[in-house]
Amino acid sequence: MNSKLDVPLHGHSLNIVRQSREALCEVLQSKFGCVAFIEGLDSDHDFGYAHKGKPTVEDWPRFAFMLRAGVQVSVWKGDLTIFKADAVVNAANTQLQHAGGLASALCKAGGPDVQRESNDYIRKHGDLKTGDAIVAGPGHLPCKHIIHAVGPRLPLYPTNSDISRAEPLLKEAIRSILDKVRERRLQSVAIPAISSGLFHYPLPQCADTIVSAVKEYYENYGPYKDHPKEIFLVNHDEPSVTEMTRACKQILAPHNAMTYSQVAASNSKDDAKTSTPSLQMGKVDLKLLKGNIEEQWTDVIVNTTGEDRNLSSGNVSSALLNKAGYEIQKELHYANQTGPVIITKAYRLHCKNVFHTFCAWKGGDAMQQANAQQILSNSVLECLRLAVSNNHKSIAFPAIGTGNLGFRAKEVAYIMLSAVSHFAQNTSKTLEVHVVIYPPDINTFQAFEEQMRYPKEKVSGPSFEPAFNNKDDFSGSKASFPQISLTGSSEEATREAERWLQGLFGSSGTVVLCNNFILHFGEQEHQQLSRLTKRGVRIQEYFQKGFAGITVKGELNEEVAVAGLQVEAILCKIQEEFVRDEEQEISRISTKNVSFQRETLHSSTQEYRDRTSLLSKLNLWMYKVEKVENPALETLFELKKKQLNRSTSRTMFQCISAQFLEMVCRIGFHAQCAPPQDSAFGEGIYFAGTVKKAMEVWMKPIEEYVYFVEAEVLTGNSTRGEQGLILPPAEANSVSGGPDIAVIFSGHQALPKYIITCKAR
């Protein structure tokens, strides 16, 4: 079950996040599996896509130019989470983990389906390569598709040679995007400054490369039916917009640049298309129309009526009665009511059925008003549910409540659209929803149009909660204080992330990082460390008793924390590359895709009860037990059994840090994940025979959570270990440090079976 936690920002922490928000999001995702949304920061020069206030799009392009192929290229300042185009492009990483920058903003606005679909793709097809692009669903975004494209990742301080090597890769990413647009015959696509944020591509060169790639793609073509009409170059920050505008003027023949009035004139033929505001939310297509409700050709038309069921009172009811004829009044009068909606035939209307709802007058005290709001929301939801359960494909609503029921137009827009949003998140059926506004009612149309411009992420929970911006504040408003909003797969994940953040923000001139992946640093990583030292920060590496570490020191606490965060990001990247390489090797040997499951066991199961005895006489209590299943690792374990000619294994334990749990489940055990407090018996992978012994071997301080991995270990022929061994002695398969300590030198000799999460008593 997902867990959410907010970490307030103030003072030093606020400045640290402002300087390194992208790295922070990456590290939180990599170390703890937490998606971080940074809220309440309002710097025009921030590249983290975490604005304060509503997302916006300027009303005119900064630049527009018509290519010879008939494709218009324009530069816009706007937020891609609300930009209207057939497709918007996400600057993705190779594993499609949307944790920082634009990716997290699109993922948040699009809802959980965006990340879920990406995970499914990677599970089936493997990682993308730099330059690749794929087409995916939009979730709740107001577009038809998201195109996930992988641009090149550069060092934190790239050299000219770094940029030269990256340029063809960025052009390849743009070509891949435009190929997808052509294949899907899309009319428009919105492209950001890919690689310029988290991937460190210098902005001026990034803009030049993107614009050149677009020009080169189309310059050899004449007008062609598969070409899109428009390429939008869209960024939300002023520096990116300025550089994109400059690049277009320099590269796309500036003497032919179009003014805004020319752009508007060239688009006038599309006015009919753009005059109908629409919003795609999962399988639900929402459209706002001007018209008469009784003239709609949808499968269902919704009507509101009073408890007396008299259709002659009320503007909507009267209009439907006049069009349908008296038969509809007769059927409604004698119908049995078993729920909040009565369904009748359509008679002379153009629909298949009419859904009659019974809403309440909004008057009286605050409780009565809130009750009326809830009834309205529930009525809309029930109509939508009945529509899909009866296999209808379209439904038309009037602006319920703006007449005799006493609701204000903005209030109705807010409630109805929130209900549609909530429904969209919980249906797998396709449904077209029309909100039909009587043409003279301009204020109501504008109220709905305004709400449709700024959809938020989702509605959570079964009750009426805000999904759209509520400018009237009729149900209260929430102050936007600076904070990091963490979403993780479990409570312990968000709590571990919070503790790590507190340690980072509370560092006083020194940050100590202990991580054996430091031993994998190469020339590039050491150059990155060297660049950090030029900012008034001192960095020192150390290795002692089997532990590798880095100490970051400086005069300014904030600079030290920022530098420490950058080092953490480097370590996370090293670990991700290590895991990716191991996955490929495991897949090659086992001939199976690497995938795993962590199933939380109920406390009533025998497997759970069997493990409670492991903690006897320890100052710990069992918080959670998860069963781990990884078919690829199981295959390798069985192969190792045959190789060692062993049919039995030994149940043993490791005490491990939270950040390595996912890695162990995915690729098994490695020495980097759990170096013991004293590697007196060799430089291999240590296991303890009991949980108590594991606490002694690793001597981890008991904070809130302690994690043990239970494994089946093939010790085979074993001999006494000694300091410095990197392989077992001849004729031995492992070494020991007494009856309760085993050291193996191949991760395939151990298979993770359970993760036991404990808490201090």
Side-chain angles (χ1 to χ4, degrees), residues 113-133:
D113 285 346
V114 176
Q115 185 63 68
R116 188 179 300 119
E117 186 175 351
S118 296
N119 292 342
D120 289 343
Y121 181 92
I122 295 298
R123 189 160 45 248
K124 292 176 183 176
H125 305 286
D127 292 355
L128 299 178
K129 301 188 298 294
T130 301
D132 284 351

Side-chain angles (χ1 to χ4, degrees), residues 23 86 203 372 377 385 416 450 462 508-509 535 569 571 575 639 675:
D86 283 357
L203 193 51
S377 177
R385 291 179 186 130
M416 290 185 65
E450 181 177 323
S508 55
R535 306 171 70 181
L571 284 166
Q575 182 179 330
L639 289 173

